[in-house]
Amino acid sequence: MTAPAPTVPEPSPGQRLTVWLCGLVRARQYGQLADLRRPAALTHARLTAASFAPSEETRPVFEQAAFLFARYHAGQLDPSPGFGDVGAALRRIGTGAGRGPANPGAVRLLDRVVASRRIPWRHLQHAVERARSCDTIPPSWAGLTEDLASWSDRGRPVQYQWARSFHTPTFTPESRGTVPAHAPIGDAP
């Protein structure tokens, strides 16, 4: 008797959009990428990006995520699916003098992004442009679509997570095993 074949999870709409966008970069589809950088134009590329949206309400999110992807990848030869959320991406930007929380410009940009009640498209474009100019990994495009689709959720969980990703340092498994000598009792990991 053989075991049933493992089921492969269905990719999310954001993951399918990211695969399509990365394929445009790999195939050197510069015309379609340029069309995505013109947000007001009703082009085939823009409408195709919107077609990945799971609902009519999220179509603008998918169009704008494709716009941000195309802005980041202007002139790039290799696609980047991104990694982490916008807070983590902002944590990676800066100069040798300071990155993330040590960079006043990155702090101000994060503050403007997470303070917005409506999706802050202009500030997100600025964040993507900063990631591009600093030659750092952009946010996960798939995750970005999911986050922006949930932007107005009660309690603002997306904004909280982005701020937390920006301000909270990452720890390696080795550092979690050691407790600083000055740590109060009860605060050990």
Side-chain angles (χ1 to χ4, degrees):
M1 188 163 181
T2 61
T7 59
V8 177
E10 181 73 23
S12 72
Q15 290 170 329
R16 291 195 314 266
L17 173 68
T18 302
V19 167
W20 177 71
L21 291 168
C22 288
L24 292 179
V25 175
R26 277 190 211 93
R28 311 287 191 259
Q29 295 291 322
Y30 301 122
Q32 289 191 55
L33 289 164
D35 285 347
L36 290 171
R37 288 192 297 273
R38 292 192 292 271
L42 293 174
T43 62
H44 173 74
R46 178 180 174 188
L47 296 173
T48 300
S51 71
F52 288 96
S55 68
E56 196 63 33
E57 295 80 35
T58 57
R59 286 179 72 86
V61 167
F62 279 67
E63 290 176 14
Q64 290 295 323
F67 166 77
L68 295 172
F69 177 96
R71 293 290 302 179
Y72 180 84
H73 287 89
Q76 300 271 337
L77 299 177
D78 296 317
S80 174
F83 180 76
D85 59 26
V86 170
L90 287 172
R91 186 175 181 80
R92 294 186 287 266
I93 66 171
T95 62
R99 293 188 180 277
N103 182 295
V107 172
R108 284 190 303 273
L109 184 54
L110 175 82
D111 289 346
R112 287 193 303 266
V113 168
V114 299
S116 298
R117 292 282 178 195
R118 293 184 181 188
I119 298 174
W121 294 117
R122 186 172 54 90
H123 299 309
L124 289 172
Q125 180 180 349
H126 188 194
V128 167
E129 296 289 341
R130 290 282 311 268
R132 182 174 190 261
S133 69
C134 292
D135 198 30
T136 62
I137 299 171
S140 164
W141 305 109
L144 183 64
T145 60
E146 294 167 15
D147 287 350
L148 296 178
S150 303
W151 188 259
S152 298
D153 285 359
R154 186 180 183 128
R156 302 171 46 96
V158 171
Q159 295 87 330
Y160 177 79
Q161 181 57 46
W162 288 7
R164 186 175 174 192
S165 296
F166 180 79
H167 289 291
T168 306
T170 55
F171 295 99
T172 61
E174 300 82 48
S175 68
R176 288 186 183 159
T178 60
V179 179
H182 62 279
I185 296 176
D187 285 354

